[in-house]
């Protein structure tokens, strides 16, 4: 599958752009484990235009993670165009327009999924950004504002006519936020539309390798994008790729020790590439969500200490303590 001239190979699996999640350390690990393409945290166009340093830092990318996309959001044509031109100087492989973020501080101000209530403005922004940059431009959006306004079949055609190179569809409305189940039916309808020539990427509730495989088989999408299931679990891309490419002959999944080693490496990369304080903060979110430590008896005090640690040495020691707790649990559960 190709997005413009970017060859992502057969049945690509992409890492979704997520605020406070898809920092450079996490992206590098996801890429190593088989992510076909990764995205930065989403970037505020207005903050980028105002040269807010924290926002500008999000544009830092590495050649080791390519292909990589930078996603921007905003509610003004001028700001989105200027931000896209700034982003182009950071040399990503593509620019993605966020018309799907449902959170109040974004959608409530008319950006992100808020654009689903102002389709003319959404289309104008898309057309003008496509004209302003030489990079491929893609869009990520939702089915519609609410269940009474499932507009993605017509919207997909309109966005394609604006010149985008691919469309990612999250199978929920803005009103759903992240609740309920993602509905892939409308995504399949878009993919089956003979007028749609650009790649269609499906997103929503891909939490297991089998769900990714079924998304390709049942809904005919060109690619799948994985979001929340990656938290503290960058190796999910290996599990999905093994399922898609190797099936029953796939090698065994990573051991618990190997997974803990990956989390420690993520901490090291974040500290080296950002700084100790912010590197730890970025890693904490993944440690809080990772399935590795679930099921350990009396783990709450250790988890609290893990999420309060302020030094690399201190956090590493707590993670190693959790490793020992897992080893004792597994030894106790092993058949005698």
């Amino acid at each position: 599958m190709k997005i413009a001239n970017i060859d992502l190979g057969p049945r690509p699996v992409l890492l979704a752009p997520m605020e406070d999640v898809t920092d450079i350390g996490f992206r590098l690990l996801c890429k190593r484990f088989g992510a076909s393409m990764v995205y930065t945290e989403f970037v505020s166009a207005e903050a980028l235009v105002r040269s807010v340093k924290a926002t500008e830092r999000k544009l830092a990318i590495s050649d080791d993670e390519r292909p990589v996309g930078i996603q921007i959001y905003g509610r003004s044509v001028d700001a989105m165009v200027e931000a896209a031109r700034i982003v182009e100087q950071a040399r990503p492989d593509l620019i993605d327009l966020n018309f799907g973020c449902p959170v109040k501080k974004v959608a409530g101000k008319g950006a992100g999924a808020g654009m689903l209530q102002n389709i003319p403005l959404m289309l104008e922004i898309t057309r003008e950004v496509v004209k302003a940059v030489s990079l491929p431009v893609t869009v990520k959006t939702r089915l519609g504002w609410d269940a009474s306004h499932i507009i993605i079949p017509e919207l997909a055609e309109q966005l394609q006519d604006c010149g985008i190179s691919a469309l990612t569809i999250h199978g929920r409305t803005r009103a759903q936020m992240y609740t309920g189940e993602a509905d892939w039916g409308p995504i399949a309808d878009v993919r089956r539309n003979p007028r749609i020539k650009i790649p269609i990427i499906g997103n929503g509730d891909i939490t297991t390798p089998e769900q990714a495989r079924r998304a390709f088989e049942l809904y005919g999408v060109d690619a799948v994008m994985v979001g929340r299931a990656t938290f503290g679990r960058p190796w999910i891309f290996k599990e999905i790729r093994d399922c898609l490419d190797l099936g029953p002959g796939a090698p065994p999944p990573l051991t618990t020790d190997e997974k803990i080693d990956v989390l420690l490496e993520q901490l090291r990369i974040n500290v080296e590439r950002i700084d100790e304080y912010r590197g730890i903060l970025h890693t904490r979110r993944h440690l809080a969500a990772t399935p590795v430590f679930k099921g350990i008896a009396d783990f709450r005090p250790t988890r609290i200490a893990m999420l309060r640690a302020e030094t690399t040495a201190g956090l590493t020691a707590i993670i190693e303590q959790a490793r020992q707790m897992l080893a004792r649990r597994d030894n106790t559960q092993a058949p005698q």
Side-chain angles (χ1 to χ4, degrees), residues 229-256:
T230 66
F231 291 7
R233 190 185 171 193
W235 51 82
I236 190 174
F237 290 100
K238 177 184 184 301
E239 297 169 353
I240 293 174
R241 283 261 59 97
D242 285 350
C243 177
L244 293 174
D245 301 338
L246 303 174
L254 267 63
T255 65
T256 298

Side-chain angles (χ1 to χ4, degrees), residues 9 34 39 81 104 116 151-153 190 212 215-217 235 239 241-243 245 318 336:
Y39 292 79
V81 167
K104 186 175 181 180
L116 290 164
I151 62 171
I152 194 61
V190 171
F216 284 109
E217 294 176 354
W235 51 82
E239 297 169 353
R241 283 261 59 97
D242 285 350
C243 177
D245 301 338
I318 296 167
Q336 304 297 318

Side-chain angles (χ1 to χ4, degrees), residues 23-249:
D23 54 65
I24 192 167
F26 186 61
R27 299 194 309 264
L28 286 165
L29 287 172
C30 291
K31 183 66 179 178
R32 183 198 305 171
F33 281 113
S36 308
M37 184 167 182
V38 298
Y39 292 79
T40 64
E41 301 172 74
F42 52 78
V43 176
S44 164
E46 286 78 5
L48 202 55
V49 169
R50 296 198 313 270
S51 301
V52 175
K53 296 302 180 187
T55 301
E56 291 179 332
R57 284 195 291 265
K58 293 180 181 180
L59 303 185
I61 57 178
S62 164
D63 285 339
D64 293 334
E65 60 180 311
R66 294 189 186 277
V68 56
I70 294 179
Q71 187 188 72
I72 59 175
Y73 71 93
R75 56 184 178 177
S76 154
V77 175
D78 290 344
M80 287 289 277
V81 167
E82 186 174 349
R85 288 176 173 146
I86 295 170
V87 166
E88 189 169 33
Q89 301 309 306
R91 297 180 52 251
D93 295 279
L94 62 77
I95 297 173
D96 192 65
L97 307 183
N98 180 328
F99 298 140
C101 179
V103 300
K104 186 175 181 180
K105 69 177 183 179
V106 176
K109 296 179 180 178
M115 283 287 168
L116 290 164
Q117 291 189 305
N118 192 343
I119 300 304
L121 180 56
M122 179 196 292
L123 299 178
E124 184 182 2
I125 287 173
T126 305
R127 278 192 299 268
E128 293 306 314
V129 170
V130 169
K131 288 193 296 186
V133 298
S134 59
L135 289 172
V137 175
T138 60
V139 164
K140 186 172 189 285
T141 190
R142 290 184 168 229
L143 303 180
W145 182 257
D146 56 34
S148 300
H149 300 87
I150 304 297
I151 62 171
I152 194 61
E154 313 87 62
L155 180 59
E157 291 193 21
Q158 293 172 305
L159 288 167
Q160 178 178 259
D161 291 344
C162 291
I164 64 171
S165 297
L167 174 63
T168 301
I169 305 170
H170 184 122
R172 287 183 172 86
T173 63
R174 189 276 172 175
Q176 283 182 273
M177 302 291 287
Y178 295 103
T179 63
E181 293 185 3
D183 182 1
W184 283 64
I187 302 175
D189 291 341
V190 171
R191 177 63 284 166
R192 285 192 292 261
N193 180 349
R195 191 171 180 277
I196 295 294
K197 306 301 181 185
I198 59 174
I200 299 300
I201 303 160
N203 176 226
D205 294 347
I206 300 294
T207 61
T208 68
E210 292 72 24
Q211 286 171 328
R213 178 177 52 79
R214 286 197 296 270
F216 284 109
E217 294 176 354
L218 297 181
Y219 304 108
V221 291
D222 299 288
V224 298
M225 181 176 282
V226 189
R228 289 171 294 160
T230 66
F231 291 7
R233 190 185 171 193
W235 51 82
I236 190 174
F237 290 100
K238 177 184 184 301
E239 297 169 353
I240 293 174
R241 283 261 59 97
D242 285 350
C243 177
L244 293 174
D245 301 338
L246 303 174

